[in-house]
Amino acid sequence: MHTVTTIDGLRTARAGLAEPVGLVPTMGYLHEGHLALVRAAQERCESVVVSIFVNPAQFGPNEDLAKYPRDIPRDLALLEEAGVDLVWLPTSEVMYPEGFQTWVDVSEVSQPLEGGMRPGHFRGVATVVAKLFNATEAHFAFFGQKDAQQVAVIKRMARDLNFPLGVVVVPTQREADGLARSSRNVFLSAEERGQAPALYRALIAAKDAYEAGERNAEKIRRVMLGTLAGASLAQVQYVSCAHPETLAELDTVSADGALLSMAVYFGKTRLIDNLVLEGQ
Ligand code: PAF
């Protein structure tokens, strides 16, 4: 496994990779969810590049960039064991050199949901992902369904800017009790961890209602809120039943289906989860 930091180092190592090349962009502190992305990339591609970069541009002023968990030696050991070909670990100076001033703003899809709670977040994500796509010249890039709005923003960007690359979405990895795997789960207390599967239960309850014929989006949102109300430590930030591509809130779920999503605080830890209702 090669490990590189600079753009020149990346270009040289990239030139020696068998194609097609798959890219798995990460911010490190890897867990099973990331390794599932690596496996999906290995199934589809001859070589796999993983980037590890905690992107300052996607953190808001009140979000603690310094406290984002990091463990590069462990990450590298996991990637080596997984059989990854190349790891790119750019520094902030490599990604945002002095004078940097070009940003990618996916204007509409970035606004609601997570974008509403975290202004500027998706501008930071879209910009760094565009740079990762360009620098690695990957043929496919792999993202988790867990960050559903991120997927919608990146797909839109890839189409709008004609990136010659396929965006592949990998299903959310879950613990046995349904909790979506996330680097943030380590911050949950034992009691919070016990209640956290309420997010998934709420999504499943809404899906059951949909499959039983419910199409009224407000009623579907209320089903989710009803389940979350059973978790005494849960503080709901939002629940959403939105169009799967535009992410506009729906009145009625049409043949396009819907994206159900939510953000819920347990203490200081903010958890998100989602589920796609397939159109019928
Ligand atoms: O999902 C993430 O970890 C990040 O948002 C990404 C895609 C690596 C961009 O920094």
Side-chain angles (χ1 to χ4, degrees):
M1 186 174 81
H2 290 284
T3 305
V4 293
T5 309
T6 62
I7 299 278
D8 283 350
L10 173 70
R11 289 257 147 87
T12 306
R14 165 67 181 83
L17 293 180
E19 299 187 342
V21 171
L23 168 68
V24 179
T26 82
M27 298 208 301
Y29 210 69
L30 304 177
H31 53 71
E32 184 48 39
H34 298 107
L35 298 177
L37 298 181
V38 168
R39 285 193 297 273
Q42 285 169 329
E43 270 165 33
R44 189 130 182 193
C45 300
E46 284 299 314
S47 312
V48 175
V49 180
V50 174
S51 61
I52 302 180
F53 178 59
V54 183
N55 175 30
Q58 68 189 75
F59 285 77
N62 301 323
E63 300 172 356
D64 207 339
L65 170 66
K67 278 203 189 133
Y68 194 84
R70 292 165 170 87
D71 191 346
I72 296 293
R74 182 175 165 275
D75 289 347
L76 293 179
L78 286 170
L79 296 176
E80 173 99 62
E81 197 185 315
V84 164
D85 301 278
L86 175 60
V87 183
W88 183 28
L89 297 146
T91 60
S92 285
E93 291 69 32
V94 167
M95 280 311 225
Y96 301 110
E98 216 183 307
F100 184 90
Q101 55 190 281
T102 305
W103 298 93
V104 180
D105 194 354
V106 185
S107 54
E108 281 170 38
V109 191
S110 295
Q111 292 308 315
L113 307 173
E114 291 300 291
M117 306 298 150
R118 307 173 71 187
H121 171 70
F122 287 114
R123 181 182 187 249
V125 170
T127 302
V128 85
V129 169
K131 288 171 67 70
L132 294 168
F133 286 0
N134 279 333
T136 60
E137 296 178 89
H139 301 88
F140 295 95
F142 297 77
F143 296 89
Q145 174 61 29
K146 164 97 187 334
D147 294 304
Q149 189 171 9
Q150 173 166 283
V151 165
V153 166
I154 290 167
K155 279 186 171 171
R156 187 74 251 171
M157 175 190 80
R159 256 182 281 164
D160 288 354
L161 298 184
N162 307 107
F163 277 100
L165 161 152
V167 175
V168 183
V169 183
V170 178
T172 302
Q173 301 296 302
R174 298 185 181 279
E175 306 289 348
D177 60 8
L179 177 64
R181 291 190 196 242
S182 161
S183 310
R184 290 170 206 253
N185 294 350
V186 295
F187 298 125
L188 295 168
S189 71
E191 202 186 354
E192 289 163 356
R193 173 65 188 81
Q195 292 192 11
L199 278 80
Y200 188 55
R201 281 203 305 276
L203 293 167
I204 295 295
K207 183 168 182 261
D208 289 347
Y210 174 70
E211 283 174 356
E214 186 59 76
R215 294 292 180 273
N216 181 309
E218 188 51 33
K219 287 192 181 153
I220 291 175
R221 284 179 209 107
R222 269 192 245 136
V223 169
M224 294 191 273
L225 287 171
T227 306
L228 290 168
S232 59
L233 300 174
Q235 285 175 287
V236 179
Q237 195 175 32
Y238 68 78
V239 296
S240 161
C241 177
H243 187 276
E245 279 186 26
T246 67
L247 305 187
E249 286 302 319
L250 296 173
D251 293 327
T252 308
V253 182
S254 72
D256 290 344
L259 174 72
L260 303 177
S261 64
M262 57 182 62
V264 179
Y265 275 99
F266 281 88
K268 286 192 178 139
T269 309
R270 185 173 183 277
L271 301 180
I272 58 170
D273 204 350
N274 70 83
L275 192 150
V276 175
L277 297 182
E278 298 298 342
Q280 288 180 349

